[in-house]
Amino acid sequence: MNPTARIRAALTVVMCVVALVVSGCATLPDSSSPQAIGTIDPTPATTEVATPVPGREPDLLLRDFLQASTEPTNRHVAARQFLTPEMSARWDDAASATIVDKVDVLAESRNSDRATYVVRANIVGYLEQGGVYRAADGDFEAKFTLVRNGGEWRIEAMPNGVIMDRPRFLNSYERRSLYFVEPSGETVVPDPRWITGNPEQTAAQLIGLLVEGPKASLASAVRNLLEDVTVVGAVTKADGRTGQVGVGLGGIRVDFQGVGSMSKGDRELLAAQVVWTLANADISGPYVLLADHQPLDERFPNGWTTADVASMNPLATSSATIGLHALLRGGLVGVAETGVTPVPGFFGAADNLQSIALSRDGELVAAVAETGGVAPEPAAQLIVGAYGADVAEPAVDGQSITRPTWSPDNTSVWAVVNGMAVVRAVREPGTGRVTVVGVEAGALRVVGGRITELRLSRDGVRAALIIDGRVYVATVVQTPNGEFSLTSPREIGFGLGGPALSLDWSSPDTVVVSRAASDMPVVQIAVDGSRMDALPSRNLTPPVIAVEASTTAEFVADSRAVFQLNNRDPADDRYWREVPGLAGLTAIPVLPG
């Protein structure tokens, strides 16, 4: 299906809902111009919007306008009330959507009937087509002219596009993830989007966005089983009711067209996309999925549940019980509450390891060892071997090699040699031989700088990197001939306030980063760069030199010891606890991956 057809299909879903529930609905624009979801819906709004305060001074009215601009319903009808009729007719609210903070409104000139102000702010991001957030950093400046209109100040001249103050944006929009299938079909991959509207519109919005497909930077790395599919009729509750769709109990029903001869396996993948997209948006099942008015899968005539697609749960933890390990005095040790024990074989007996990584199933180990060489001889060597084996195979040498990171299928380990060259060390299961192949990383060289950290996400579709102390996320793309490349690098850590030292994936859409700062030494950054939240700092003594994370906990090594943060602890009782088995030891925590 071509892009225009996909967009029309997505619009069909949303407009069908509009026809049945009288509400302002967010739609998908039929253009490539950046815009907030919801800017082109012509349907009258049913919710009340605040009107300009009578007698408001022009500078305060301008600030009120900026706040009203975060409500996109009906082409920003709330914000248009602050404009003169002529300006409202000229204003192209779909031209752009810029998110700013630290807004200043500065007077340039004013008399009894006319006032001009300059708005200055820091750009923190843009909201693009389909609710895609793009983090950014820069200065914003725009001029606004206000005149008296009927005795009240109104905006007569201003630039096109929407300006949204970040706190108001975060209060008005919600981040929800679409899910697409990673190439092997083992799991689904999040594609965060920011949407707005009342809860009854959410299910139709998300289904429409799924039909439209992944954002451009992700498209070459995932599969979309809804690519050639359209939606027939409206998204309803499971029993066909059209009210309160997606709100409370009652489930969801969607009728797809175009499934046709799709195999049973592909139908399951389609269902996984829909179920996890809706379930992780707090829309309860059962999810009645139809194909041309018949059940998508005859096994589930009354609807799917998350249990039916549990094998593809993007938030699932590993079923392998591997346990915490650590790098201690140059060797690998297992960690128990009572203390540490060197692992059997080569890696436990070593005393020259700089960094180390366990495969996701815990059966293989990759490490960077000091060679003792003096320049120009290589100072470091990447080695790979089986857990507990007496020998390890050398893979590649270099003056520097980053901490290794394993692919999800446990067949290869990635690292960066000499700060620039990204490589994969592929281990043959039968012989244990290791072959090193390059990863195309030309897009990273455009960014420039030295790569000091690279971590693959657990689904293998993204890589988080530290380049010159700044945090980036790139897309991992596999070509038909089996080669890999890192594409579309995007900086996500604007405003970090200091160089990043270490990072890891805590969830499919969140990266934990330690930074060279005494206040808030560990932060959590959304994969689209839309949020940066400080993790508790109690008990930590900067610098925090290493981070390891899972969906349930984060581990860090600071200047004194190794600490753990349990994500299941209540928010008011969440603080770093020293890991019992590593008490008093200077070590680096090691988790699978």
Side-chain angles (χ1 to χ4, degrees):
M1 183 184 291
N2 62 46
T4 302
R6 288 200 299 270
I7 294 172
R8 286 174 179 165
L11 281 167
T12 300
V13 176
V14 180
M15 295 309 294
C16 286
V17 172
V18 170
L20 292 168
V21 292
V22 183
S23 59
C25 183
T27 64
L28 302 178
D30 195 16
S31 76
S32 59
S33 300
Q35 58 184 295
I37 292 182
T39 57
I40 62 172
D41 178 19
T43 309
T46 58
T47 56
E48 294 184 3
V49 293
T51 56
V53 177
R56 195 73 158 163
E57 285 295 298
D59 59 327
L60 298 179
L61 182 124
L62 179 52
R63 287 187 178 274
D64 293 345
F65 164 76
L66 295 176
Q67 291 190 1
S69 296
T70 60
E71 172 50 64
T73 304
N74 293 348
R75 300 184 62 241
H76 292 90
V77 65
R80 289 181 185 276
Q81 298 175 101
F82 296 81
L83 313 180
T84 64
E86 296 78 13
M87 183 66 238
S88 180
R90 296 195 309 270
W91 183 36
D92 180 7
D93 59 323
S96 63
T98 306
I99 302 162
V100 300
D101 67 2
K102 300 179 181 178
V103 178
D104 288 325
V105 177
L106 308 173
E108 185 174 273
S109 64
R110 178 179 174 180
N111 57 35
S112 59
D113 295 315
R114 178 177 291 270
T116 300
Y117 292 90
V118 174
V119 173
R120 291 176 181 159
N122 296 333
I123 297 173
V124 297
Y126 298 94
L127 192 64
E128 300 181 337
Q129 182 180 5
V132 175
Y133 186 100
R134 176 167 60 88
D137 186 29
D139 298 324
F140 176 87
E141 182 172 310
K143 187 175 292 187
F144 291 75
T145 301
L146 294 87
V147 297
R148 287 194 184 274
N149 187 286
E152 298 290 346
W153 289 100
R154 294 293 182 265
I155 299 170
E156 179 189 55
M158 66 175 193
N160 284 322
V162 176
I163 308 159
M164 294 187 282
D165 187 40
R166 182 177 185 177
R168 295 282 298 186
F169 166 75
L170 295 176
N171 285 335
S172 300
Y173 285 73
E174 290 185 316
R175 188 180 67 174
R176 301 297 190 190
S177 283
L178 310 177
Y179 285 92
F180 299 97
V181 180
E182 58 86 27
S184 70
E186 296 295 322
T187 190
V188 288
V189 179
D191 182 356
R193 304 297 179 94
W194 287 85
I195 64 174
T196 188
N198 67 53
E200 290 187 63
Q201 299 166 357
T202 301
Q205 283 181 280
L206 294 175
I207 296 296
L209 289 168
L210 274 177
V211 170
E212 185 185 3
K215 60 188 174 187
S217 62
L218 196 61
S220 58
V222 295
R223 298 170 59 196
N224 181 21
L225 278 300
L226 287 85
E227 181 177 6
D228 296 315
V229 169
T230 57
V231 175
V232 181
V235 178
T236 69
K237 280 188 176 290
D239 62 3
R241 285 177 293 159
T242 58
Q244 296 289 295
V245 176
V247 179
L249 301 178
I252 292 290
R253 185 173 72 179
V254 190
D255 194 354
F256 295 108
Q257 187 176 59
V259 175
S261 59
M262 188 179 290
S263 68
K264 179 180 177 181
D266 281 351
R267 290 179 183 232
E268 290 180 357
L269 296 178
L270 185 155
Q273 283 189 240
V274 174
V275 170
W276 287 118
T277 295
L278 296 177
N280 286 334
D282 299 321
I283 297 173
S284 301
Y287 309 99
V288 178
L289 307 182
L290 306 177
D292 297 318
H293 314 305
Q294 300 299 317
L296 177 69
D297 189 314
E298 61 185 13
R299 295 174 298 166
F300 307 108
N302 297 318
W304 298 66
T305 68
T306 54
D308 299 320
V309 288
S311 64
M312 299 188 71
N313 184 354
L315 300 178
T317 56
S318 173
S319 58
T321 306
I322 299 166
L324 178 66
H325 287 68
L327 180 61
L328 177 66
R329 292 187 285 272
L332 181 63
V333 298
V335 181
E337 289 192 4
T338 55
V340 299
T341 305
V343 303
F346 175 86
F347 294 100
D351 61 3
N352 65 334
L353 305 182
Q354 297 175 336
S355 62
I356 201 159
L358 293 171
S359 62
R360 299 179 191 277
D361 60 8
E363 295 184 3
L364 299 173
V365 183
V368 177
E370 296 178 352
T371 65
V374 179
E377 295 298 317
Q381 183 179 67
L382 177 65
I383 53 178
V384 182
Y387 187 100
D390 292 330
V391 295
E393 290 289 322
V396 65
D397 298 331
Q399 291 303 323
S400 69
I401 302 176
T402 60
R403 175 172 54 151
T405 179
W406 284 91
S407 63
D409 62 4
N410 305 306
T411 62
S412 66
V413 64
W414 295 46
V416 182
V417 180
N418 297 333
M420 295 290 290
V422 182
V423 300
R424 296 170 56 238
V426 183
R427 185 177 186 273
E428 296 180 4
T431 65
R433 289 180 52 193
V434 177
T435 302
V436 177
V437 292
V439 173
E440 170 54 44
L444 301 183
R445 287 190 285 275
V446 173
V447 172
R450 185 177 184 83
I451 304 170
T452 55
E453 186 89 301
L454 184 154
R455 304 294 286 168
L456 293 175
S457 60
R458 293 179 187 87
D459 52 41
V461 169
R462 293 183 173 99
L465 306 103
I466 298 177
I467 305 177
D468 279 349
R470 303 166 77 96
V471 179
Y472 291 80
V473 168
T475 303
V476 179
V477 177
Q478 184 174 11
T479 62
N481 62 4
E483 296 179 353
F484 286 83
S485 62
L486 290 170
T487 66
S488 305
R490 304 166 303 285
E491 186 172 359
I492 64 169
F494 293 108
L496 198 59
L501 302 178
S502 181
L503 55 73
D504 199 12
W505 293 89
S506 59
S507 72
D509 60 3
T510 308
V511 179
V512 176
V513 180
S514 69
R515 62 190 190 124
S518 56
D519 63 319
M520 300 182 296
V522 185
V523 297
Q524 197 170 51
I525 305 177
V527 72
D528 60 359
S530 59
R531 292 190 65 99
M532 183 187 305
D533 299 300
L535 293 182
S537 58
R538 287 185 293 172
N539 299 345
L540 295 182
T541 304
V544 175
I545 59 173
V547 172
E548 286 275 6
S550 70
T551 56
T552 58
E554 288 84 30
F555 293 86
V556 299
D558 71 358
S559 60
R560 297 182 298 119
V562 176
F563 291 87
Q564 175 182 353
L565 186 68
N566 192 334
N567 295 337
R568 293 178 177 145
D569 287 342
D572 58 353
D573 191 36
R574 193 166 176 238
Y575 61 93
W576 296 96
R577 295 179 171 88
E578 191 169 0
V579 176
L582 294 172
L585 298 176
T586 303
I588 303 295
V590 177
L591 292 172

